[in-house]
């Protein structure tokens, strides 16, 4: 099926949607993005994604492409036009194009490029992968230092996924100065003696929208949380582990660098958090 996508004010068949070859997103990875999940045809944590988008744009001195209300309307219209029940809406804003290549930013009044498209993912909530749990490898984190800005510079995370795939695993956790930063496209956690451990927020990791919601729900469920640096060895010795992201919600981790966690199946806290998160998300979706 040909998708209807959004480009700079127009809803078009995906085959007819174009941006300039001089677009700074294409030439310089000069752009930011958001991924919002859709359950039951409704958007999960839309406000969180809009707030983070603004934060990314401000950090890079980029103009907002349109208002929050316009963004909501575009998201909803794409979900409707493409008949999405479970899936994702991808949004990208770049610094646009002034018709040439230059390291210096174009004039401040250069219009940004705004692109949105949907991805249909039936079975996103009732995911077989989440029932099995993910196998993780660790790799060095060699990304730039502003990982709190959600830029489209995703080459190294892509390479990390490929390294994991080559090793017969599902994903990679990145390690810097001996401590886990995050997964290639998710935040990382382990659970030991009932305490959930995850790296504190800083410029070294993305401030996950799912992370925020899951930690709030965990604390409401009286679970203990310790935000601190941790090593791969600590995670390997844990009772269980998991990741969070808008595209996979709470994903149990069952193996790290060949070491099985617990009994090698998704742990009870990860399963419970996934359940609570999905319930709450469906209840508050817009
Ligand atoms: N990735 N850390 C990284 C490096 C990420 O790329 C993501 C999200 C997260 C989790 O953030 P959130 O909970 O807001 O989705 C953490 C998205 C899903 C992606 O690139 O497709």
């Amino acid at each position: 099926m040909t998708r209807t996508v959004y480009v700079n004010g127009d809803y078009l068949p995906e085959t007819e949607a174009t941006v300039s070859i001089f677009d700074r997103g294409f030439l310089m990875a000069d752009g930011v993005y958001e991924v919002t999940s859709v359950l039951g045809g409704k958007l999960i944590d839309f406000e969180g994604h809009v707030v983070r988008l603004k934060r990314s744009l401000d950090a890079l001195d980029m103009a907002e492409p349109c208002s929050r209300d316009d963004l909501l309307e575009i998201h909803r219209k794409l979900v409707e036009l493409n008949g999405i029940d479970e899936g994702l809406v991808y949004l990208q804003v770049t610094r646009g194009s002034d018709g040439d290549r230059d390291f210096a930013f174009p004039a401040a009044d250069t219009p940004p490029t705004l692109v949105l498209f949907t991805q249909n993912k039936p079975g996103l909530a009732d995911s077989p992968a989440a029932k099995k749990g993910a196998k993780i490898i660790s790799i060095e984190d060699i990304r730039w230092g502003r990982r709190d800005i959600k830029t489209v510079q995703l080459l190294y995370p892509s390479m990390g996924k490929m390294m994991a795939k080559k090793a017969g695993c599902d994903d990679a956790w990145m390690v810097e100065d001996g401590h886990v930063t995050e997964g290639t496209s998710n935040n990382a956690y382990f659970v030991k003696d009932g305490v959930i451990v995850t790296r504190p927020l800083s410029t070294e990791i993305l401030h996950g929208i799912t992370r925020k919601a899951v930690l709030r729900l965990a604390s409401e469920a009286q679970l203990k949380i310790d935000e601190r640096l941790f090593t791969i060895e600590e995670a390997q010795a844990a009772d269980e582990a998991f990741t969070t992201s808008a595209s996979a919600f709470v994903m149990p981790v069952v193996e790290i660098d060949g070491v099985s966690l617990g009994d090698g199946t998704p742990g009870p806290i990860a399963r419970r958090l996934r359940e609570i998160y999905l319930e709450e998300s469906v209840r508050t979706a817009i």
Side-chain angles (χ1 to χ4, degrees):
M1 192 190 94
T2 305
R3 267 177 295 196
T4 300
V5 304
Y6 176 94
V7 184
N8 295 329
D10 295 321
Y11 294 88
L12 300 164
E14 63 186 55
T15 46
E16 287 170 30
T18 56
V19 294
S20 165
I21 63 157
F22 299 112
D23 193 276
R24 301 230 356 143
F26 180 59
L27 294 181
M28 304 275 180
D30 188 356
V32 300
Y33 76 108
E34 283 296 329
V35 176
T36 303
S37 50
V38 177
L39 291 175
K42 289 186 174 178
L43 302 163
I44 306 303
D45 222 333
F46 177 77
E47 304 306 336
H49 289 284
V50 171
V51 168
R52 187 173 60 190
L53 175 65
K54 170 92 169 71
R55 189 178 177 280
S56 294
L57 291 169
D58 286 350
L60 296 175
D61 216 4
M62 279 170 65
E64 277 177 78
C66 59
S67 70
R68 173 251 176 226
D69 290 353
D70 290 342
L71 282 182
L72 178 59
E73 191 190 317
I74 301 166
H75 276 75
R76 283 179 161 163
K77 194 159 171 187
L78 283 181
V79 167
E80 190 194 320
L81 289 172
N82 293 292
I84 306 294
D85 180 49
E86 291 193 1
L88 305 169
V89 181
Y90 176 87
L91 170 158
Q92 179 167 329
V93 187
T94 79
R95 206 181 301 273
S97 152
D98 63 357
D100 205 352
R101 177 178 184 267
D102 193 341
F103 279 83
F105 292 174
D109 60 356
T110 305
T113 300
L114 175 62
V115 170
L116 286 93
F117 58 82
T118 54
Q119 292 182 286
N120 193 25
K121 306 256 180 200
L124 192 63
D126 192 25
S127 144
K131 289 192 182 94
K132 220 168 109 214
K135 294 182 178 178
I136 300 294
I137 60 164
S138 63
I139 60 173
E140 199 189 336
D141 196 338
I142 59 166
R143 297 174 300 162
W144 80 323
R146 287 304 305 275
R147 303 161 194 156
D148 56 318
I149 309 172
K150 198 163 171 62
T151 75
V152 296
Q153 303 172 58
L154 297 177
L155 181 55
Y156 188 65
S158 294
M159 290 168 74
K161 292 258 196 229
M162 293 312 291
M163 289 183 238
K165 220 170 153 177
K166 214 170 156 187
C169 291
D170 304 293
D171 204 355
W173 282 9
M174 295 177 279
V175 176
E176 184 173 59
D177 299 331
H179 297 112
V180 174
T181 50
E182 58 189 333
T184 57
S185 62
N186 43 59
N187 292 114
Y189 312 72
F190 74 82
V191 184
K192 182 74 177 172
D193 299 329
V195 181
I196 300 168
V197 177
T198 194
R199 190 179 178 106
L201 295 182
S202 68
T203 51
E204 284 135 19
I205 62 169
L206 186 75
H207 301 191
I209 302 304
T210 321
R211 177 189 187 280
K212 189 174 177 187
V214 166
L215 290 184
R216 177 176 53 79
L217 294 168
S219 132
E220 282 169 16
Q222 314 299 328
L223 294 166
K224 290 195 199 80
I225 298 157
D226 189 4
E227 293 184 61
R228 64 168 174 84
L229 300 185
F230 65 93
T231 64
I232 283 290
E233 291 72 25
E234 277 181 279
Q236 285 175 318
D239 301 322
E240 53 176 297
F242 61 92
T243 61
T244 62
S245 68
S247 53
F249 311 124
V250 178
M251 174 62 67
V253 166
V254 294
E255 186 186 298
I256 302 174
D257 283 341
V259 175
S260 275
L261 305 191
D263 65 0
T265 64
I269 291 184
R271 281 190 282 122
R272 185 159 158 231
L273 285 175
R274 183 179 175 88
E275 228 175 80
I276 301 175
Y277 176 76
L278 283 171
E279 263 172 36
E280 165 83 0
S281 296
V282 169
R283 198 178 60 75
T284 56
I286 62 167

